[in-house]
Amino acid sequence: MSRLVIRVAMVGLVLPFAGWLLRSAPSSVPGRHFWPLLIVAGVLVLAGLYVWAVHRRHGSAGVVDRWARKSRKHSGVASTWSILRTSSAWAMRRKAKTLRPSLRQLTFWQRLAVKPINYATPLARVGWQRIWSSCEDVTLRVGGPRTGKSGELAGRILDAPGAVIATSTRTDLIELTGPCRSRRGPLYVFNPSGVGGLASTIVFDPLAGCDDPATATARAADLLAGAAAPGGAGGDREFWAGQARRVLTALMHAAALGGAGMRDVLGWVADPDTASADVRRYLKRSCQPAFDADAAQFLGTNERTRSSICSTIMPALGWLTDATASAAAGIDQASAAEVGEGPAEFDVPALLAQGGTVYLLGAEDGQTAPLVCALTGHIARQARRLAALNPGGRLDPPLTLALDEAALICPVPLDNWTADMGGRGVTIHIAVQSRAQLRQRWGDTGAAAILNNAATLLVYGGMRDPDDLAAYSTLAGERDEQVATYDPQGNLTGTSHRRVPVLSPAQIAQLPAGQVLIVRRGMPAAIGRVQMAWKRRDVRRTARADRWAPRLNALAELAADGSRWTVTAARQGSAWAAPRLAQLAAYATSRTAGRPDKTTRPVLEEGSTDAI
């Protein structure tokens, strides 16, 4: 094929040259008047050859051949150009006006002055290059315990340009990121499980806003999702989950209309016969008659069906038996009073405007997961509603959801959120332990949706599941490996090529600490190095400043008496002490100006207790 192409190209070049020679020949030469035809024929041959080459390059065969050549050249991993084109800061800048609609008002040179951290976040380093992820992309990190997922995820909290919702099973995430985030906005903690003995600073009543039918429907779905049995929906489980969602919606709507509480809802589920009169009376006040029909059908159905529905609802209300969770929900007024007093509703627009941070803590037992899931769903839905009112339909700055151990403590519908939230200015970062954990919580279909919707997958080492390792090895692709052949005397007799995985399952399992396999959309796989949050300069600088805070406060007290010290030194005739004492006092005043004392400043802001 190559020889034929060369021959055709030579014909295309020779024909115009022959036409030019014929044109320069005397008029007596036979056929001289055909010189324009030769030139036109040569141009047509060259144009046809060019069209064929373009079609071959950009057609399916050409694209596959080009990919194969690149794969052989770079051993199947991402090249410098691939990273620069798809995942660099320069690539993020090209989408800046879409990611942050407020940047459209700036000129090109003004946008260049805006740092990429305002609309993207760095994930890892590959050599001297940095892999970035835009604020509309979902990132998923998979790794076993103590492989560094939480340390890397903490960096996404610190880099968030706007408000943050962070989930965790431990308090170390607050201790690591709280001091830095407190300089950007208020901090809140919702800890219904009492993890680490840390008190909640916000109160969330699941019945708040349930007098609206749409809110009641969403709240009931969130509570039931948090208590859903492992394995996702399917078969009879899906049917009973739908019935439970319909009934719980009606009961919560009735409680909100009648001024009842969640304990009343629990009592209605436990004893539907005695609740019939109150529920029907409250639902008469609803603007939606369908709720009364749902309640009537539930209360009037046979005992076996009603017991199945109630047994499905009960796990979603199990947190009511926990005193700490009840206080966090405002159920136990005596305990809730210890949390603090605040406004009647949690102001989500103010949280977004102030760039605040909400830490949601939960235990691995899952009893309080419905309550954490309901609060996360409330904030996310409010953010989605506000995004629709903004230019471009996006939050600006974006809201960041950093979901550590999402399958354990915050089983929100990630299979749907990962497909929808990115275009609304909500960035989702997920950390799980394995694909099996995803399948256990969201089922096979939901786990596949989450994996497909994640623009970047970070795979940590230390895993032992052969199926998971084989799947990640398949995602990394294959490469050509040269195989040498030797004779019995050890002399090289020939070479051949064979297709082998870019990374074998064993190599992925044996990735050293701090290194991850990066599978990113539009880019070949790469091996990168992630940074733990406690090694960041801003974290160490903040910790150092907090350690020096007591000493600076002591110097500030000296500044208050600086005049007395200066006068005393002057009376003693010391020409050296007086000016230096004055400089020391001025330095202490400048360093402590506006800085609260660490001994008196709590990690969380005082007066930040809000009831929802």
Side-chain angles (χ1 to χ4, degrees):
M1 179 62 70
S2 60
R3 292 182 179 180
L4 179 61
V5 171
I6 293 175
R7 291 174 182 176
V8 173
M10 291 299 296
V11 170
L13 294 174
V14 168
L15 285 177
F17 181 72
W20 177 77
L21 291 178
L22 192 60
R23 178 179 179 274
S24 302
S27 58
S28 59
V29 175
R32 179 181 179 279
H33 59 282
F34 289 111
W35 68 267
L37 295 179
L38 295 177
I39 294 178
V40 171
V43 171
L44 290 178
V45 170
L46 292 176
L49 184 63
Y50 173 77
V51 172
W52 174 83
V54 171
H55 174 72
R56 178 176 176 81
R57 175 178 175 80
H58 295 283
S60 298
V63 171
V64 172
D65 290 341
R66 189 164 65 253
W67 286 353
R69 290 194 300 271
K70 291 182 178 179
S71 177
R72 287 192 295 269
K73 182 178 180 181
H74 301 288
S75 301
V77 297
S79 64
T80 300
W81 171 249
S82 297
I83 297 176
L84 184 65
R85 180 175 55 86
T86 62
S87 306
S88 63
W90 171 71
M92 299 300 108
R93 286 187 183 277
R94 291 185 299 168
K95 303 186 294 183
K97 292 191 295 184
T98 301
L99 301 175
R100 293 287 297 270
S102 61
L103 298 180
R104 298 173 185 174
Q105 303 174 1
L106 304 180
T107 65
F108 173 78
W109 300 107
Q110 289 174 331
R111 286 196 300 271
L112 284 181
V114 179
K115 295 181 179 180
I117 200 69
N118 290 284
Y119 43 81
T121 181
L123 296 178
R125 278 191 176 276
V126 178
W128 58 271
Q129 291 180 294
R130 193 186 295 271
I131 301 292
W132 290 77
S133 175
S134 67
C135 62
E136 68 177 357
D137 287 340
V138 177
T139 66
L140 174 65
R141 46 205 48 77
V142 182
R146 290 167 296 281
T147 55
K149 300 190 308 297
S150 299
E152 185 270 333
L153 186 64
R156 310 291 71 77
I157 298 175
L158 296 171
D159 292 333
V164 175
I165 309 298
T167 65
S168 181
T169 57
R170 297 174 297 179
T171 60
D172 55 351
L173 196 65
I174 302 177
E175 298 170 356
L176 183 61
T177 63
C180 291
R181 290 297 304 181
S182 64
R183 287 162 169 76
R184 296 191 180 186
L187 302 185
Y188 306 97
V189 167
F190 186 69
N191 187 14
S193 300
V195 176
L198 190 62
S200 298
T201 61
I202 57 175
V203 175
F204 174 67
D205 184 3
L207 284 179
C210 286
D211 51 347
D212 176 52
T215 302
T217 302
R219 198 65 50 75
D222 290 337
L223 288 173
L224 290 170
D236 294 341
R237 183 185 303 154
E238 184 176 1
F239 170 78
W240 291 116
Q243 295 296 317
R245 184 165 53 250
R246 182 172 58 87
V247 172
L248 183 58
T249 299
L251 296 181
M252 293 181 67
H253 186 50
L257 293 174
M262 286 302 298
R263 293 196 186 278
D264 297 313
V265 176
L266 178 63
W268 294 343
V269 175
D271 190 2
D273 292 330
T274 60
S276 177
D278 291 338
V279 172
R280 297 293 300 276
R281 184 175 70 256
Y282 295 153
L283 288 177
K284 295 296 183 182
R285 309 172 187 175
S286 176
C287 59
Q288 294 291 342
F291 285 97
D292 188 26
D294 289 341
Q297 182 182 9
F298 165 69
L299 296 171
T301 189
N302 62 78
E303 185 65 26
R304 183 175 181 180
T305 302
R306 194 164 59 184
S307 298
S308 299
I309 296 175
C310 291
S311 62
T312 307
I313 296 176
M314 275 299 185
L317 306 178
W319 52 270
L320 286 166
T321 60
D322 190 320
T324 305
S326 299
I331 306 299
D332 188 352
Q333 297 299 328
S335 299
E338 300 176 359
V339 177
E341 298 179 358
E345 292 186 1
F346 185 74
D347 196 348
V348 177
L351 173 72
L352 299 177
Q354 298 171 2
T357 307
V358 180
Y359 295 96
L360 306 178
L361 303 181
E364 296 182 358
D365 55 13
Q367 184 178 6
T368 59
L371 198 56
V372 176
C373 187
L375 177 55
T376 308
H378 167 73
I379 297 175
R381 289 185 175 89
Q382 288 290 322
R384 184 167 56 184
R385 180 184 61 82
L386 294 172
L389 306 177
N390 292 343
R394 295 172 180 264
L395 291 176
D396 191 359
L399 169 67
T400 299
L401 300 182
L403 307 179
D404 188 16
E405 301 295 351
L408 296 177
I409 63 173
C410 188
V412 293
L414 287 179
D415 49 346
N416 298 325
W417 285 14
T418 52
D420 177 68
M421 289 295 191
R424 301 178 186 272
V426 179
T427 308
I428 302 179
H429 302 291
I430 309 169
V432 296
Q433 296 182 5
S434 63
R435 288 196 313 153
Q437 192 180 54
L438 287 175
R439 291 194 298 267
Q440 182 185 29
R441 173 56 64 181
W442 288 282
D444 293 338
T445 304
I450 295 172
L451 286 169
N452 289 334
N453 295 335
T456 304
L457 174 65
L458 303 178
V459 181
Y460 290 74
M463 289 179 290
R464 297 295 181 267
D465 189 340
D467 293 336
D468 285 6
L469 293 173
Y472 302 141
S473 178
T474 302
L475 291 177
E478 296 182 339
R479 61 182 177 88
D480 289 333
E481 184 181 64
Q482 188 173 1
V483 181
T485 305
Y486 299 90
D487 60 13
Q489 287 74 30
N491 299 319
L492 179 65
T493 59
T495 58
S496 61
H497 291 83
R498 64 177 180 180
R499 298 291 291 177
V500 297
V502 174
L503 284 174
S504 66
Q507 289 175 314
I508 298 176
Q510 296 167 8
L511 284 173
Q515 292 189 359
V516 294
L517 168 64
I518 304 171
V519 181
R520 179 163 171 77
R521 184 181 301 158
M523 187 188 81
I527 300 296
R529 179 172 294 277
V530 295
Q531 183 184 30
M532 298 296 102
W534 53 82
K535 295 182 179 180
R536 291 169 54 115
R537 291 182 180 179
D538 53 350
V539 174
R540 291 186 295 178
R541 183 169 55 249
T542 303
R544 186 166 55 248
D546 287 342
R547 287 196 302 268
W548 275 89
R551 304 176 187 180
L552 292 175
N553 285 324
L555 291 177
E557 295 178 1
L558 176 63
D561 296 335
S563 59
R564 179 172 61 83
W565 285 92
T566 304
V567 171
T568 302
R571 288 178 179 176
Q572 293 177 355
S574 176
W576 178 88
R580 281 157 179 76
L581 282 173
Q583 292 176 2
L584 183 62
Y587 171 77
T589 304
S590 63
R591 292 298 302 269
T592 57
R595 183 191 300 275
D597 185 0
K598 184 181 178 183
T599 59
T600 59
R601 177 177 63 85
V603 176
L604 307 175
E605 288 196 355
E606 293 291 344
S608 61
T609 302
D610 297 337
I612 303 180

